Amino acid sequence: MDEGGLEWLLVPVQQLVSWGAAGAMVFGGVVPYIPQYRDIRRTQNADGFSSYVCLVLLVANILRILFWFGRRFESPLLWQSIIMIITMLLMLKLCTEVRVSNELNVKRRSFAAADSKDEEIKAPPKRSYLDFDLNYFWHWSKFTDYVQCVLTFTGVTGYITYLWLDSSLFVETLGFLAVFTEAMLGIPQLYRNHRNRSTEGMSVKMVLMWTSGDTFKTVYFILNQAPFQFSICGLLQVFVDVAILLQVYLYSRYPQKAAPHTAHPGSTKAL
């Protein structure tokens, strides 16, 4: 086969590979949450999933989208953030509905103070976000409260970004904060395992999915010459995932005495 014929064959193959990599980049991040969503919906129990996962990923991806306005990186990375935000809102909606349906005679909590007398009669008095009680932050009783909080954060950070968009230092810092926030997602799980001296109750399959996904994502960043913040924090994510897998190996091979307190909140990485 001559060079012209070979090139005619390679070009569409390369294009398909490129499209496949872009598609995997856009939708690969949400794949681990599909079985989690189905499991919560089936069991009507959201105790094994921490809503703070949604908080971290919402903040990280909103900041990443704002970073795009200052430095136009590849479109698949932008679409990945949009898809992840939609996914996290769906997870929040389901978890909130399940949690509230399982909680009887408890004080309803909200992002903003209730202004409806009928609502106050039908349900216990709501706790206002304006109380600044961090014990109740991101643990509200209505999905609309989470939406209000996300919109408020987006509006404030968007306005600040608009004012400082001409500053390259601000834009680069914004990009770093976006990917660094996401990279820190596994740290609470790492610390929890260390504190418990055990990985019991943690899904190893989920960790493997995170590791493979983060590895693919980091390689994609490097090969496509994404902003350096993406590559550095991608490598950090892989390092944290590998560290968690190392804990699985060590604590299973060399069981240690459990920490005094055994009751802990759900995993911060949906494990």
Side-chain angles (χ1 to χ4, degrees):
M1 183 179 293
D2 57 16
E3 293 184 3
L6 186 61
E7 183 178 353
W8 177 85
L9 179 63
L10 288 177
V11 170
V13 171
Q14 291 174 346
Q15 190 67 47
L16 286 175
V17 172
S18 177
W19 288 344
M25 193 68 215
V26 172
F27 297 102
V30 305
V31 170
Y33 295 100
I34 295 176
Q36 185 79 53
Y37 184 93
R38 296 179 63 183
D39 187 57
I40 293 174
R41 192 177 184 86
R42 177 178 56 83
T43 62
Q44 289 297 296
N45 187 341
D47 292 341
F49 180 79
S50 172
S51 61
Y52 285 102
V53 174
C54 302
L55 174 62
V56 171
L57 288 176
L58 284 169
V59 170
N61 285 281
I62 289 171
L63 293 179
R64 185 194 287 188
I65 292 175
L66 295 176
F67 177 50
W68 181 84
F69 287 98
R71 185 173 177 183
R72 301 297 176 90
F73 47 80
E74 290 223 336
S75 297
L77 301 181
L78 176 64
W79 281 107
Q80 180 198 42
S81 293
I82 295 173
I83 296 298
M84 183 61 76
I85 288 174
I86 294 173
T87 302
M88 289 302 101
L89 289 176
L90 290 174
M91 289 294 298
L92 272 176
K93 186 175 187 299
L94 176 63
C95 291
T96 304
E97 292 174 350
V98 169
R99 187 178 67 248
V100 172
S101 66
N102 292 335
E103 291 179 349
L104 301 177
N105 300 322
V106 295
K107 181 181 289 185
R108 295 290 191 252
R109 310 177 186 112
S110 63
F111 175 72
D115 55 3
S116 170
K117 293 182 179 179
D118 293 337
E119 191 174 355
E120 291 178 356
I121 294 175
K122 293 178 182 179
K126 290 189 174 184
R127 187 174 190 88
S128 172
Y129 171 76
L130 300 178
D131 291 339
F132 290 102
D133 190 338
L134 293 179
N135 292 325
Y136 298 106
F137 177 77
W138 207 252
H139 194 72
W140 302 307
S141 303
K142 294 175 61 179
F143 173 66
T144 53
D145 294 311
Y146 293 97
V147 174
Q148 290 176 33
C149 182
V150 170
L151 291 177
T152 301
F153 175 78
T154 303
V156 172
T157 53
Y159 182 67
I160 294 174
T161 301
Y162 173 76
L163 295 177
W164 290 86
L165 200 58
D166 294 332
S167 170
S168 59
L169 177 61
F170 173 83
V171 171
E172 296 300 328
T173 302
L174 183 65
F176 176 78
L177 289 176
V179 290
F180 183 75
T181 301
E182 186 175 355
M184 292 293 99
L185 195 60
I187 294 297
Q189 182 68 56
L190 189 71
Y191 173 73
R192 179 190 178 205
N193 295 342
H194 173 72
R195 184 179 60 180
N196 294 349
R197 298 293 191 272
S198 171
T199 57
E200 184 178 355
M202 186 189 71
S203 172
V204 179
K205 291 181 180 179
M206 185 67 74
V207 180
L208 291 172
M209 291 177 69
W210 274 101
T211 305
S212 59
D214 292 339
T215 301
F216 172 81
K217 181 170 61 178
T218 303
V219 172
Y220 183 92
F221 291 157
I222 295 173
L223 294 180
N224 288 274
Q225 299 181 338
F228 76 96
Q229 298 98 323
F230 287 74
S231 300
I232 292 175
C233 292
L235 290 171
L236 180 59
Q237 275 187 284
V238 174
F239 173 78
V240 173
D241 294 336
V242 171
I244 294 175
L245 289 176
L246 184 61
Q247 287 180 323
V248 174
Y249 172 78
L250 290 176
Y251 295 147
S252 62
R253 190 174 181 84
Y254 307 103
Q256 302 184 37
K257 186 177 180 180
H261 39 283
T262 57
H264 304 284
S267 164
T268 308
K269 203 170 180 183
L271 302 176

